[in-house]
Amino acid sequence: MAEEAERKPVLETVQAEGTDGNCVTFVLHDEDHTLGNSLRYMIMKNPEVEFCGYCITHPSESKINFRIQTRGGIPAVEPFRKGLTDLMDVCHHMLSTFEASVKEYKAQKETEMD
Amino acid sequence: MAERGSLEEMRSRVVLGEFGVRHVHTTDFPGSYPGYTDAWDPVTFRQGFHVDVTHMDEGLLEFDLVGIDAAIANAFRRILLAEVPTMAVEKVFVYNNTSIVQDEILAHRLGLIPIQADPRLFEYRSQGDEEGTEIDTLQFQLKIKCSRNPRAAKESSDPNELYINHKVYSRHMTWVPLGNQADLFPDACFRPVHDDILIAQLRPGQEIDVLMHCVKGIGKDHAKFSPVATASYRLLPDITLVQPIEGEAAEKLKKCFSPGVIEIQDIKGKKVARVANARLDTFSREIFRHEELKNMVRLARVRNHYI
């Protein structure tokens, strides 16, 4: 379809033959260690996940292979989704804490000046 | 209990041994240690996490992030360097350049000048758009001509006296509003961040007349779009004295560390060393060069405290 040919894929999945959805490799385009390592950390914290890792296929291409294997209860897409939402929550919380801290620092500086 | 203590140390500290660094990687994932549930818990995270700003001014911001892991801290550092957008000069239209600096060198230097403009007020330029509209482009002009100073003394050889406008600084760049920018931003002054960046040097008769288009971009595309000079972090140092150290050895110990880290206290006539402020240390590991002192001190870093 013309639409798909114009838009580059952001995420693809690769699954070996004969397995159910428990171990899946996601190929994320235009990503690098920035998202890869932090997402890997969040997904590893999930007790359902047996294996989680990522690698950069070649430094000239900006895509990462992200593999998740679960212990057999849930499909691999679930921890992936949860990891992404958890990472978003962490970032939101860090942003609000940081802004509060900056405001507090500025207020403290002003009281010191007076 | 020694075992429990060393397990805590393994989990929470990166230890600097004599010949290497131990316990570098985060190991607190679910299932690694019996008796610990390390599963992700947003409540525990929120309780354990806090930010302290230690220093903030025009050019430097220093703050502490406590309670997160290296993966997240590094992700933020990478984003600061490469993915925060800024405005920088992208296209330089050269109308006249009779200076000694070649066109492309001049254009490269102009691109690297940091511009004081809030990138949130502008859009990214769409692909394939050559002209540039007022919502995505800032226009600057640099028009300067060097001439001989008629009032200079006869025998002077100081270029500052002999020539007018022989040094082209970034303060000579002026903002030229495009379209309705003059109405949209009546109070804004878009200019280079620093006024005293030397762009080129001229002699009488040479002139530079260029028009510059600034666009919004990110550091991944070109380093000129990186908003920071650098962004870095270090872990909080943690120095513990395994045995009490007194007398001459205490003096020697104090010299092994950065000033202010170890202080000598006078207890009952003897000089006793105490760790005053481990945060100041830069970990030159000088202590390992002294045979008698190296086993009395443990050098470590707190794994989840980033400065």
Side-chain angles (χ1 to χ4, degrees), chain B residues 26-95:
Chain B
T26 338
T27 43
D28 53 343
F29 295 118
S32 303
Y33 301 101
Y36 284 88
T37 45
D38 292 315
W40 176 253
D41 181 16
V43 178
T44 336
F45 167 69
R46 275 170 227 259
Q47 280 169 351
F49 174 70
H50 63 97
V51 179
D52 302 313
V53 178
T54 23
H55 179 92
M56 184 161 82
D57 66 26
E58 274 295 313
L60 179 67
L61 171 65
E62 189 178 313
F63 58 96
D64 284 22
L65 282 171
V66 186
I68 51 159
D69 186 63
I72 320 265
N74 195 32
F76 276 100
R77 184 193 64 89
R78 289 175 67 98
I79 291 175
L80 277 173
L81 282 171
E83 292 179 37
V84 177
T86 48
M87 304 286 293
V89 174
E90 174 91 5
K91 277 208 162 65
V92 174
F93 299 95
V94 181
Y95 291 109

Side-chain angles (χ1 to χ4, degrees), chain B residues 3-305:
Chain B
E3 263 191 36
R4 187 104 185 163
S6 65
L7 186 62
E8 278 301 317
E9 182 185 287
M10 202 158 76
R11 279 170 62 91
S12 69
R13 299 280 188 274
V14 176
V15 181
L16 278 73
E18 188 175 350
F19 297 113
V21 186
R22 298 196 300 273
H23 313 144
V24 175
H25 297 286
T26 338
T27 43
D28 53 343
F29 295 118
S32 303
Y33 301 101
Y36 284 88
T37 45
D38 292 315
W40 176 253
D41 181 16
V43 178
T44 336
F45 167 69
R46 275 170 227 259
Q47 280 169 351
F49 174 70
H50 63 97
V51 179
D52 302 313
V53 178
T54 23
H55 179 92
M56 184 161 82
D57 66 26
E58 274 295 313
L60 179 67
L61 171 65
E62 189 178 313
F63 58 96
D64 284 22
L65 282 171
V66 186
I68 51 159
D69 186 63
I72 320 265
N74 195 32
F76 276 100
R77 184 193 64 89
R78 289 175 67 98
I79 291 175
L80 277 173
L81 282 171
E83 292 179 37
V84 177
T86 48
M87 304 286 293
V89 174
E90 174 91 5
K91 277 208 162 65
V92 174
F93 299 95
V94 181
Y95 291 109
N96 190 1
N97 175 21
T98 41
S99 74
I100 238 179
V101 177
Q102 294 90 345
D103 290 347
E104 60 269 19
I105 308 290
L106 183 66
H108 181 242
R109 287 176 70 84
L110 290 169
L112 291 171
I113 296 173
I115 306 281
Q116 179 96 345
D118 191 348
R120 290 169 291 192
L121 300 169
F122 297 93
E123 305 284 326
Y124 284 103
R125 193 179 270 197
S126 40
Q127 290 241 354
D129 182 10
E130 290 293 324
E131 282 292 315
T133 60
E134 59 229 7
I135 51 164
D136 58 34
T137 311
L138 264 183
Q139 206 176 51
F140 284 90
Q141 190 184 43
L142 177 63
K143 194 173 167 125
I144 190 161
K145 190 175 162 73
C146 177
S147 49
R148 203 174 283 275
N149 185 0
R151 281 175 286 163
K154 262 297 173 56
E155 272 86 34
S156 97
S157 58
D158 179 16
N160 289 330
E161 244 185 62
L162 284 174
Y163 313 122
I164 307 179
N165 282 345
H166 70 283
K167 283 192 177 171
V168 182
Y169 288 104
S170 51
R171 68 178 99 93
H172 295 129
M173 282 167 62
T174 49
W175 175 45
V176 177
L178 269 179
N180 63 350
Q181 277 177 356
D183 308 317
L184 275 177
F185 315 118
D187 312 320
C189 57
F190 297 119
R191 52 177 179 75
V193 176
H194 304 283
D195 281 337
D196 52 356
I197 302 177
L198 181 63
I199 302 175
Q201 292 203 29
L202 302 174
R203 285 295 180 265
Q206 294 176 349
E207 82 174 273
I208 295 182
D209 181 6
V210 299
L211 197 67
M212 294 164 263
H213 279 195
C214 271
V215 294
K216 183 169 165 178
I218 56 174
K220 249 197 217 178
D221 180 25
H222 191 289
K224 70 189 177 196
F225 293 115
S226 177
V228 295
T230 191
S232 68
Y233 62 76
R234 64 187 174 105
L235 293 168
L236 179 74
D238 178 36
I239 303 173
T240 32
L241 300 174
V242 174
Q243 306 165 13
I245 300 181
E246 308 171 343
E248 278 302 308
E251 288 290 333
K252 216 174 178 185
L253 187 77
K254 185 170 170 180
K255 287 207 181 73
C256 288
F257 290 99
S258 309
V261 176
I262 302 271
E263 70 175 8
I264 310 276
Q265 282 177 335
D266 221 345
I267 299 184
K268 297 185 215 161
K270 277 195 299 188
K271 290 194 259 190
V272 178
R274 193 182 74 88
V275 179
N277 189 359
R279 192 193 164 101
L280 298 169
D281 196 27
T282 49
F283 274 156
S284 59
R285 296 162 85 175
E286 171 76 15
I287 191 102
F288 292 119
R289 296 179 63 209
H290 302 273
E291 281 300 320
E292 65 277 8
L293 289 176
K294 71 181 178 190
N295 293 324
M296 298 203 205
V297 180
R298 195 199 67 167
L299 297 178
R301 286 195 188 268
V302 182
R303 184 176 281 139
N304 63 354
H305 186 136

Side-chain angles (χ1 to χ4, degrees), chain A residues 32 34 41 44-45 90 101 105, chain B residues 28 30 38-40 51 78:
Chain A
D32 55 5
T34 311
Y41 173 76
M44 280 291 285
K45 284 287 203 180
V90 168
S101 175
Y105 179 80
Chain B
D28 53 343
D38 292 315
W40 176 253
V51 179
R78 289 175 67 98

